Every structure is written in C-alpha cells, then in structure tokens.
Amino acid sequence: GGEGGGGGEGDEGEEAPSGSGVYSWGGDNSGNSYDGEWLRGLKHGRGVYRWSGGSTESGGAGESASTKAGAVYSGEWFNDDMHGVGDYAAADGAHYRGSWSRGVKQGLGRQTFPSGDSYEGLWRDGRPHGPGLYKWAPTTTQAPPHTTHTTHTTPTTLLLATPSTARSTATTTTTTTTTTTTTTSTH
C-alpha cells in the first residue's frame, strides 16, 4: 500500500532513512510531496502528503486518481499508509476528518461533500457503515427575471442505524419550510 511508494528509499547498500524530512516524487507522480516522519524509508508517524494536479496515483482514500489531484492529507501514517487520525481535503471541496486504517476511512469520521451535505458516523472500508447522521445542506433556487420565487429548505437530518439497532435507535427527522413569493411586473 502507501501513497506514492518508494519515498525516501536509498540506493542499494544505503540504509533507508528514519526521522523527519520532505520528499518530492518525480515520474508519474511528479509534484507529489510528503513532509513528515519516516521509519526505514516509509511514511510513519505524523505527516502531510500533497497530491499534485497531475498525479496519476490511485487508491488510498478510496478516491480515484482524478479526484486525488490537488488533494492534501494531514495526519497519522503507519507503514506508508494513512492510518490513525487524519484530515483529507480534496480539490473539489470534499473533506473527511476522522479515523483511517491502511489507507481507507475506517471507524468514526465526518465527511463533508462538495454539495455541503455531510455524514458523521461510522465507516468501514471507505464507506458509511452503521450508526451515523446525514445532513442535507440548505438549498435556494432563483426564478427567472420579473418573477421572484424563492424556496428555502432547512437542513434535513437523518439518523441511520444498523439493522440490529434499528428497532430501538433509528429516528428520522425532516423539517422543510417552503416560502414562495411571486411578483410579476408589467412594463
């Protein structure tokens, strides 16, 4: 596993570096960089990994190569994988803060999507799994000129539960307020 692979590895006969330092990749991952702690040539400890806009690398945060371009991960590493607690911010505005295991979202975390929707709860294998709270972002729509039509929906919250706990803990709360004002002008 690992992001970028081969970071900080020396030539044959040289000992792989340990400690803190910065490494920038060339080749297909040109422009990717890691600034943090190393153990025997592997990202290990705390560090920040930046994917360049031209990265062809995939995997890791459960994202494709195209969505990783311009992304940043800041957090804990173990044996070259995002592992422990960390923040992942994608160039499209998506953001995840929470637990990682071997490069994927695992355990408790909060994901905010580019739309403004968010999910906070348990994750397994990079996907929401088990109890969690999903919130939809407020939306506003505009009408054509000479007519004003505004619809405002307050955030809707959904508490998800695993099948084994659904009978006792599942709750759905939906609050929607719609205000419509129509003004037509004649000229």
Side-chain angles (χ1 to χ4, degrees):
E3 303 305 320
E9 295 172 356
D11 294 331
E12 277 189 46
E14 291 184 23
E15 187 175 323
S18 292
S20 294
V22 178
Y23 187 85
S24 295
W25 278 261
D28 288 344
N29 295 315
S30 184
N32 292 2
S33 67
Y34 174 76
D35 182 356
E37 298 172 348
W38 298 86
L39 181 64
R40 293 184 296 279
L42 302 175
K43 296 178 288 297
H44 194 90
R46 293 211 40 88
V48 177
Y49 191 98
R50 289 178 170 75
W51 285 265
S52 72
S55 177
T56 59
E57 179 178 352
S58 62
E63 309 290 339
S64 68
S66 60
T67 59
K68 281 203 149 178
V72 177
Y73 172 81
S74 176
E76 297 173 329
W77 294 82
F78 182 81
N79 286 336
D80 232 20
D81 283 321
M82 297 176 285
H83 190 89
V85 177
D87 291 333
Y88 177 86
D92 68 359
H95 180 259
Y96 174 81
R97 173 178 285 156
S99 297
W100 296 83
S101 179
R102 296 184 179 140
V104 296
K105 301 166 194 168
Q106 183 88 7
L108 186 60
R110 177 183 167 88
Q111 170 86 38
T112 303
F113 301 94
S115 65
D117 292 358
S118 65
Y119 169 78
E120 184 170 3
L122 295 179
W123 294 77
R124 184 159 86 192
D125 298 325
R127 294 195 166 109
H129 181 83
L133 186 64
Y134 193 95
K135 292 183 182 180
W136 283 268
T139 58
T140 301
T141 58
Q142 296 295 324
H146 304 298
T147 303
T148 305
H149 177 85
T150 304
T151 302
H152 178 75
T153 304
T154 57
T156 304
T157 303
L158 175 63
L159 176 64
L160 305 172
T162 59
S164 63
T165 61
R167 288 185 277 306
S168 61
T169 62
T171 307
T172 303
T173 304
T174 305
T175 307
T176 304
T177 305
T178 303
T179 306
T180 304
T181 307
T182 304
T183 307
T184 306
S185 60
T186 55
H187 289 110

